[in-house]
Structures are given as C-alpha cells and as structure tokens.
Amino acid sequence: MVILHAGLCPGLTAEMIQLLKANGIQTVVDFISSDLEEVAQKCSLSYKALVAVRRVLLAQFSAFPINGADLYEELKSSMAILSTGSKSLDKLLDSGLYTGEVLELMGAPGSGKTQVCLSIAASVSHSLKQNVLFIDSTGGFTASRLLQLVQSRTEEEEEQVVCSVGPVKLLVVDSVSAVVCPLLGGRQSEGLALMMQLARELKTLAREFGLATVVTNHVTRDSSSGHLKPALGRSWSFVPSTRVLLESSQGAWGKASTQRIASLRKSPRQPTGIQVELDIGGYEALEERPGASGEEL
Amino acid sequence: MSAARAMSEGFGKAESGAQLLARLEGRSSLRNLEPYLFADEGFPMHGDVIEFHGPEGSGKTEMLYHLITRCILPKSGGGLEVEVMFIDTDYHFDVLRLVTILEHRLPQSTEETIKLCLGRLFLVNCNSSTQLLLTLYSLENMFCTRPSLCLLILDSISAFYWIDRSNGGENYNMQELNMKKCVKFLEKLVREHLLAVFATTQTIMQKSSSSAESSFSLKHQCEAEVDYRPYLCKSWQQLVTHRIFFSKKCHSSNSKGFSIVSCHVKRNHVVKCSFSVAECGVQF
C-alpha cells in the first residue's frame, strides 16, 4: 500500500498531493483506479498532467509482460541442471536439480534427509565447483560428516578446503518445517501468512538468481487414507515443484541399516511412483553398495 | 513519419472508430478450444470466466499448458493462432515444459517455428495482490491494441489469500479489498474487450461438514461430490461462469490418472471426464 508523496515520481508535486488528499485519493491504488476526468474537474488539476503521472506510476509499480520467445531465449542460457552426485537420485529427478525450482525431501525422523542434503552439498561444491548455501535449523549439520564426504571425493587437502567468492548455485534449507510448524495452528492466520511469505521468498530467490533449492519437511499421516503426506498443510503443498519421500527399506528388521528408499511423489516432468534405493551411510555418493541387492552380477 | 506522429498523438485519447471495429470484430473465435472441458457450447465464449479448482498435483497447470498450446499453435499445426496473456503469481510457469509439449504437437518443428509460437504468449509475474491489481490496469492497453489477444490466464488467483488475510487485520472487508478490486477490474476487462479468462484456485481448505455451510455448497449438484469449499470473496464466486474441479485418482488401475468434473454455474449442467498426463501433455 504505497501512499502518494512528493517525489514519488516526476510530475507529482506537493500541491497536487494536497488537492488529491482532500478528495480522498491517498494511495497509488486510489489514484490509478480513479476516473481522471472526474479528478481533474474536482481538484482543478490539469488532465494531461494527471494522465502523465498515471503512466509513470503504472510503469513503476506494475509488472511488465515478457514475450514467450524472449523468455525462452533467456532461460536456455541461464538454466542449469545440477547433478546430485548420485546416479540413482539423478534418475529420480530427471538428471538432477533444476535451477529455478524447489525440491522438497520429506521423511520421518531418521529417514536420512540431512544425510542426503549433506551428500548433495558435498557433491555440488566439489564436483561441480559451485557455491552452496546450507541453512540448518535443526542442529543436524555436522562438519565432520561433511569432511568425510568431501575427503572421499578427493585426496588433496587443498582441494578440500577451497574458499571461493561467487554466486551461490544451490540453497539447502534443513529443515523448513522445524521453523514453520511452531507458527501454525490456532485461529490466527499470521502463521500461515508468514509461511506463504517464506515460500514466496524461496521461489523468488530460486527464479531470480537461478538457484536450485532443496528443503526438507516432516511427514504426517492422512486421516482418511492412511497415506503419508508432507507436513505443513495444504497451502505449503503447492510450493515445491518436485517432492521425494525418503523411507527406510523394509528388509532391515531389527537391524540398523543405512539403506533407504526414495520415491518420487510429485514432479513437473516425470511420472510419479518411481523408486530408487539409496545408501546414506557410505562415504561415496549415495549409491547402493555393489552386491547389496543380492543379485548375481 | 507523420503517420507515426499521428499514432503517438492518438495514444492517450479515446479510441477511434477503426479501433472500435477492430476490437469488436477482430477478437478471434475460441471455437474448438477443448470440447472435453466445456459441457454446453463446446467452446468458451468471449466473456466466460472459467475456474480450475483442485488440490496440488491434480493437473491444473498441465491443463493450462494444453490450452496454451492449442491457442498458440499455427492454424496449419492444428491450433487457433491466437495470443495468450499468462499472469503467474507464484513462479510456477515452466516455459521449457511448454516447449516440450509444443515439440510433440508439431512433428516437424524447427527452432524458428517454436519461437514463432512462443511469440504469441505473454508472461507476467506478480508479487502481491496490489501488484496484480496495478498490472491488470497496465495490461488494459495491450488488450485494446491487440485484437488477437483474447485469452487471459491467472495462475493462480488464490496465491495471495493468506497474506491478504493477515494484512487486513480483523476486518473481513479490508482483507478482501484488493481481491474485490481485482475482480471488479477483471470484470470490466472481460466485458469491454471480450476476453475469456481461465483462473486456477487451490484447494487450501477442507470441506466443511457443518450444516450451515453445506446448505450453501449443495446448491449445485456437482459441488456436493467434490472437495470444494469456497473461500475467495463473493464477487469472484459471482463472476465465475464455469467451474472445473480437478482431482487425482490414487492408485488407479487404468491409465487415466486424473479426473475432472466440469460444471456450468448458471445452468447447473455437469460433465465428467478423465485424462492422463504424458510427456506430450494432456491426453484425454
């Protein structure tokens, strides 16, 4: 809600503003939605001057349309797909993380979300040599584990510790539900509004800076069907464009296992239901250990 | 030289007779846009406002891509060759996915023909309901000067709902103020420029089981079956002429994974069908 004030745009003088205010026009929206001929008569201002101010205000505060062909050209050069470092996960995500989009990893506690995030971060920063911004809201980020993952990729210490300045290409938020859940509930809508503002910021960052974004979320059970669904409610469910569910493998009864199953739950370009197996305990990429599936090679 | 000057001088004035004729006669017909979606006439009429409503992942955006390709493809490729204005409120639009669908629909497509098709699409991103309102005002000029621009798509019109509610404080009127203004101006645009509008709304509320609300929602036979609880302002509910509910069938045995229930609001006429989504887009 922008209030008209002197200097907001050329041609908008203080006298003009006083006259407009006296006739009930205080904000930019009031000005643009009013009938300028009427206003010119009531405030005894020049119609031409009002039209000129209206044009400038509209140019300043409204969004400009872009032609589809120009957008395509722009995107062809700026879009990138970041490989996660794991062939199985890449297969699930149609070759990797797309810049400009938000991927949601959901799973129960202990399902491996943080491990997958760390592994992706290590891979992108080492193999792809891109900057990663890791936002940790649960305290689950362990530098020693990250060091293990990086050390497994390269022996040289110099390569392991490289400071680089430059644009960030990957943003990881672990986890978004930990900070948003306490805001929800109750009858006020402020919590939901804050969550939607956060969602808007994430998507704006992703689009405008060409970042690939990964967020993690908890799961809840749907009361009617019993299926697992992402936490944070219906409004949040529209935000990510891709969603992957992480679960423990069925076979490991009673034994602590590092095997996980990742299934695709939502994707803008692949059919849902694809599943792959990941090993989150390894030092290498999240591949299944050879021979672990029990098949003869 | 003098023609250019004459054109720029006439810009701010009321439209000339020639412009009026161009506006009224030049709006291309949307016949055969998609017979599966429109129960009665078989094509959207100018002046129709169609709402796509459904939970996430139910195929609304894919259906929009399908409609866009039907519009922007050249007549030789089976399209309507009309221009489309797409207002994106939550950074949802994926132009590369659209290009994939176009390439499937146009078998011998070159880069040039794809770009020619994309040249008929205009995209705007809006960040708040205020910006949406001001953008609608600034787009009025484009609708005036382009007779083949007859389709306006808003994906989605409900994106600012929670933010507006929180900004408006305790007063319902303040909360809905921006949306009401948008709807009022949208109605003016549709009426004066003979547009067809498609808008998506997200299912963010659970269907109420209380008797007071259900007596309102059961007014239309189709709404009783679907998970629909209206939450946007009344003026929007009254502007909509067709309401199409999307849902995803869970673990369906047949290949068609999505279903739609299409209702004509005034005549209470209901049509159901299902579709699947492949790499080439929506398939009925």
Side-chain angles (χ1 to χ4, degrees):
Chain A
M1 186 102 67
V2 182
I3 303 199
L4 293 169
H5 56 267
L8 185 59
C9 76
L12 193 62
T13 60
E15 302 94 43
M16 241 184 177
I17 294 182
Q18 285 295 7
L19 288 166
L20 291 170
K21 206 164 171 186
N23 279 286
I25 297 180
Q26 286 189 321
T27 63
V28 173
V29 172
D30 291 338
F31 186 83
I32 291 184
S33 48
S34 49
D35 181 358
L36 289 185
E37 282 184 11
E38 234 182 88
V39 173
Q41 274 182 351
K42 278 205 286 189
C43 307
S44 39
L45 287 167
S46 144
Y47 177 72
K48 261 196 170 161
L50 287 175
V51 166
V53 168
R54 184 183 199 268
R55 199 174 299 157
V56 173
L57 283 178
L58 264 183
Q60 226 178 321
F61 288 101
S62 69
F64 273 158
I66 179 172
N67 186 279
D70 297 333
L71 181 66
Y72 180 48
E73 273 305 296
E74 224 183 90
L75 231 60
K76 263 198 312 188
S77 53
S78 64
M79 215 206 37
I81 306 179
L82 303 174
S83 161
T84 58
S86 150
K87 283 205 214 37
S88 338
L89 197 54
D90 282 350
K91 176 175 136 211
L92 202 64
L93 299 174
D94 194 20
S95 56
L97 300 166
Y98 282 63
T99 56
E101 290 186 5
V102 176
L103 163 71
E104 181 180 74
L105 286 176
M106 64 176 193
S111 53
K113 307 186 289 293
T114 308
Q115 292 301 318
V116 172
C117 286
L118 285 172
S119 175
I120 296 177
S123 170
V124 166
S125 70
H126 171 259
S127 319
L128 302 178
K129 311 239 179 312
Q130 299 290 344
N131 289 335
V132 177
L133 179 58
F134 197 111
I135 302 179
D136 178 31
S137 66
T138 59
F141 180 87
T142 39
S144 48
R145 173 65 178 148
L146 188 63
L147 184 61
Q148 264 180 357
L149 289 168
V150 170
Q151 273 173 338
S152 72
R153 286 170 169 81
T154 167
E155 287 298 317
E156 299 167 5
E157 275 210 29
E158 275 195 19
E159 246 190 86
Q160 288 167 12
V161 190
V162 162
C163 263
S164 88
V165 266
V168 170
K169 260 297 172 209
L170 173 67
L171 171 66
V172 182
V173 181
D174 179 25
S175 75
V176 74
S177 51
V179 287
V180 174
C181 266
L183 302 171
L184 302 177
R187 298 190 69 93
Q188 296 96 348
S189 54
E190 275 97 15
L192 278 160
L194 262 170
M195 180 177 83
M196 295 319 290
Q197 285 281 28
L198 171 65
R200 194 158 273 283
E201 283 300 316
L202 278 175
K203 291 192 102 163
T204 312
L205 279 176
R207 274 293 165 107
E208 295 198 355
F209 296 99
L211 304 179
T213 309
V214 179
V215 300
T216 63
N217 192 4
H218 294 129
V219 287
T220 57
R221 252 183 216 286
D222 191 22
S223 45
S224 46
S225 61
H227 292 131
L228 285 177
K229 63 175 186 181
L232 297 180
R234 292 183 180 207
S235 301
W236 175 264
S237 68
F238 291 96
V239 173
S241 48
T242 319
R243 186 176 289 124
V244 170
L245 169 70
L246 283 174
E247 297 172 291
S248 301
S249 316
Q250 290 289 338
W253 292 115
K255 280 192 284 183
S257 152
T258 55
Q259 300 289 92
R260 296 290 182 271
I261 298 186
S263 20
L264 188 64
R265 282 299 177 89
K266 177 180 179 181
S267 167
R269 55 190 69 88
Q270 295 225 94
T272 55
I274 309 178
Q275 283 187 340
V276 294
E277 291 202 14
L278 302 174
D279 184 336
I280 58 168
Y283 299 126
E284 305 281 316
L286 303 159
E287 299 299 345
E288 209 182 292
R289 273 191 227 120
S293 59
E295 286 176 351
E296 299 285 349
L297 282 168
Chain B
M1 245 313 231
S2 57
R5 209 184 315 135
M7 263 181 68
S8 59
E9 273 172 1
F11 213 59
K13 299 189 186 135
E15 57 182 10
S16 68
Q19 280 178 312
L20 176 68
L21 274 175
R23 179 159 66 82
L24 290 179
E25 280 178 9
R27 286 295 171 210
S28 326
S29 162
L30 289 169
R31 188 176 277 275
N32 291 326
L33 180 61
E34 187 46 77
Y36 285 101
L37 284 185
F38 297 98
D40 285 317
E41 301 89 16
F43 58 91
M45 305 282 284
H46 297 296
D48 278 348
V49 176
I50 298 116
E51 181 181 332
F52 283 2
H53 186 89
E56 63 97 16
S58 50
K60 304 187 290 297
T61 309
E62 272 294 322
M63 186 60 73
L64 288 176
Y65 291 146
H66 173 72
L67 293 175
I68 295 173
T69 43
R70 294 276 301 125
C71 285
I72 62 179
L73 280 175
K75 291 206 166 107
S76 54
L80 299 170
E81 219 168 292
V82 297
E83 294 180 340
V84 178
M85 174 67 69
F86 192 106
I87 302 184
D88 185 9
T89 56
D90 45 14
Y91 283 109
H92 215 86
F93 189 71
D94 184 0
V95 73
L96 297 174
R97 170 77 186 137
L98 186 66
V99 168
T100 310
I101 299 178
L102 279 173
E103 285 173 350
H104 273 101
R105 303 270 169 106
L106 271 184
Q108 300 98 6
S109 56
T110 61
E111 192 79 355
E112 280 312 307
T113 49
I114 297 280
K115 284 180 90 169
L116 209 64
C117 292
L118 287 176
R120 297 192 191 101
L121 171 67
F122 298 94
L123 186 72
V124 194
N125 278 312
C126 286
N127 268 324
S128 67
S129 50
T130 313
Q131 198 185 37
L132 175 63
L133 179 62
L134 296 175
T135 306
L136 285 174
Y137 275 106
S138 71
L139 289 178
E140 181 172 24
N141 204 28
M142 275 190 86
F143 291 119
C144 269
T145 53
R146 288 175 172 267
S148 59
L149 183 58
C150 52
L151 196 68
L152 172 62
I153 300 184
L154 269 161
D155 183 18
S156 61
I157 199 172
S158 59
F160 307 116
Y161 177 70
W162 290 117
I163 298 176
D164 280 350
R165 263 188 74 167
S166 167
N167 284 339
E170 289 299 321
N171 186 346
Y172 274 131
N173 277 332
M174 279 305 291
Q175 290 170 8
E176 293 183 340
L177 192 63
N178 270 338
M179 195 44 64
K180 276 196 210 152
K181 289 185 180 168
C182 284
V183 172
K184 190 161 153 217
F185 193 69
L186 204 58
E187 192 208 4
K188 175 180 177 234
L189 281 179
V190 166
R191 193 177 8 110
E192 288 186 0
H193 303 280
L194 304 175
L195 306 174
V197 174
F198 285 83
T200 57
T201 54
Q202 300 154 337
T203 310
I204 55 179
M205 306 260 198
Q206 273 189 318
K207 192 167 179 181
S208 159
S209 50
S210 73
S211 55
E213 287 218 31
S214 57
S215 61
F216 168 71
S217 63
L218 282 175
K219 201 163 59 167
H220 291 281
Q221 160 210 357
C222 51
E223 288 170 23
E225 305 169 13
V226 296
D227 186 12
Y228 174 59
R229 183 175 159 186
Y231 54 88
L232 287 175
C233 57
K234 261 233 162 65
S235 33
W236 169 254
Q237 313 296 345
Q238 287 161 351
L239 184 63
V240 174
T241 58
H242 291 77
R243 203 164 270 130
I244 302 184
F245 300 99
F246 285 71
S247 57
K248 185 167 182 179
K249 295 191 221 165
C250 289
H251 311 294
S252 54
S253 49
N254 61 342
S255 55
K256 305 249 165 128
F258 301 89
S259 72
I260 53 180
V261 177
S262 159
C263 313
H264 190 301
V265 167
K266 298 220 165 47
R267 295 182 217 169
N268 206 6
H269 187 86
V270 176
V271 162
K272 296 186 201 179
C273 69
S274 45
F275 64 94
S276 59
V277 176
E279 183 155 337
C280 56
V282 163
Q283 285 179 320
F284 284 97

